[in-house]
Amino acid sequence: VATPEANQTHYGDPANGCEADEEAVQVQGVSGKFCSPDCASAACPTDVPSGVTAAPQCALQTTTGDKRCALICSPSDKWSDLRAGDAQCGTGSCQPIQGTGICTYGAGPSPPSPSPPSGDCSIPTALQCAQGLGKCISQCKSGLAACVQCLGGDFGTCCPCIKKIDPNLPIQCPGSVPEFMIVDVAAIKAAAAQTHYGDPANGCEADEEAVQVQGISGKFCSPDCASAACPTDVPSGVTAAPQCALQTTTGDKRCALICSASDKWSDLRAGDAQCGTGSCQPIQGTGVCTYADSRLKFTTMQLV
């Protein structure tokens, strides 16, 4: 009789094996591990282990640029929210990282009070760390992720001393975790917040192309709408409405953010406020949100 595999879904415990399209990963600074599917070219799978209610999101990015999914179990890193998030993780626990929570296995709940310092912060170690920390003072003041990224190879040296200064920081000092299992956290927040209709300079979603409408300055990421409605998720600060308003010379249809009902100067400038970090550009009696030109390849479009 064939024995069923331990993990029948995605996002399971690596101790039981991962699915064929997953890897066992550990986010730098987060306790525990989990199976993570790729989301560079497809949406995150929605099948989750029994008892899990946390939402899969394309929230991780490796140092080589690969994008991977994780189960987001808390909108904040407050102790109460994380413990509520534990109930969404099934047999896992909700671990804090940069203002949010991720389901992992083998970690247990993070302590509510300061834990003992990790590693040995001896005088020689502290002196060596000071040399590396000197160049990263401003980054370390701005946040943990920026500090870790700036320290780079010095992080392993400085970590025990950083933990001694503030034992409540949600970091783990380097130990027995293989390097290939470490995920770069510097891009986690940006990756998690990425939506459709963004600036091509920051990369487009898997179902988008960087396009420029003929006769309009600037470019933007545009999803296809030939066979499905335009996605409704938009970048932070954007209130312009997505519409299936573009057509390529080959007949493909694509979405754009319509920010003005006319091409009057006053209406376009009012439309700028609807475009977030973009601007409202005039085309054939209407306005479309675009972003400043970059050196990316793009597809030329025309208004339908």
Side-chain angles (χ1 to χ4, degrees):
V1 178
T3 302
E5 295 181 4
N7 278 344
Q8 296 294 324
T9 67
H10 292 89
Y11 314 105
D13 185 346
N16 299 326
C18 297
E19 296 286 273
D21 58 344
E22 293 181 305
E23 283 188 11
V25 304
Q26 178 169 5
V27 178
Q28 189 173 9
V30 176
S31 297
K33 308 174 182 68
F34 58 97
C35 295
S36 176
D38 179 83
C39 56
S41 58
C44 290
T46 56
D47 60 309
V48 295
S50 177
V52 169
T53 56
Q57 288 189 28
C58 189
L60 306 180
Q61 184 168 313
T62 67
T63 52
T64 58
D66 294 334
K67 292 183 178 181
R68 293 198 163 269
C69 309
L71 293 175
I72 306 300
C73 50
S74 172
S76 80
D77 55 5
K78 291 181 181 179
W79 171 257
S80 57
D81 290 339
L82 292 169
R83 297 298 61 81
D86 286 339
Q88 301 182 38
C89 293
T91 58
S93 62
C94 193
Q95 297 295 318
I97 181 70
Q98 295 186 350
T100 190
I102 293 178
C103 291
T104 72
Y105 300 89
S110 51
S113 57
S115 55
S118 175
D120 180 21
C121 182
S122 61
I123 292 177
T125 300
L127 291 174
Q128 185 178 352
C129 173
Q131 296 177 358
L133 193 60
K135 68 180 185 296
C136 299
I137 292 176
S138 61
Q139 289 88 343
C140 290
K141 286 182 178 179
S142 67
L144 177 61
C147 184
V148 172
Q149 185 179 29
C150 179
L151 286 171
D154 291 327
F155 173 69
T157 301
C158 293
C159 185
C161 296
I162 294 173
K163 287 285 284 185
K164 190 169 185 177
I165 294 171
D166 187 352
N168 206 33
L169 284 174
I171 60 173
Q172 277 187 307
C173 294
S176 60
V177 180
E179 185 176 354
F180 77 91
M181 293 179 67
I182 300 298
V183 177
D184 181 13
V185 299
I188 288 179
K189 202 149 192 172
Q194 190 168 357
T195 67
H196 291 90
Y197 313 105
D199 185 347
N202 299 326
C204 296
E205 294 288 89
D207 59 343
E208 293 182 305
E209 283 188 12
V211 305
Q212 180 170 14
V213 178
Q214 194 169 9
I216 291 185
S217 175
K219 307 175 179 70
F220 57 96
C221 294
S222 176
D224 179 83
C225 56
S227 57
C230 291
T232 56
D233 59 309
V234 295
S236 176
V238 170
T239 56
Q243 290 187 26
C244 190
L246 306 179
Q247 185 171 312
T248 66
T249 53
T250 58
D252 294 334
K253 293 184 178 181
R254 293 197 164 268
C255 308
L257 294 175
I258 305 301
C259 49
S260 173
S262 78
D263 57 4
K264 291 181 181 179
W265 175 258
S266 58
D267 290 340
L268 292 169
R269 297 297 62 82
D272 286 339
Q274 300 183 41
C275 293
T277 58
S279 61
C280 193
Q281 297 296 321
I283 181 71
Q284 296 181 13
T286 189
V288 174
C289 291
T290 73
Y291 301 89
D293 288 349
S294 62
R295 297 181 180 179
L296 297 172
K297 294 181 179 179
F298 59 90
T299 302
T300 301
M301 316 286 293
Q302 60 187 11
L303 198 67
V304 176

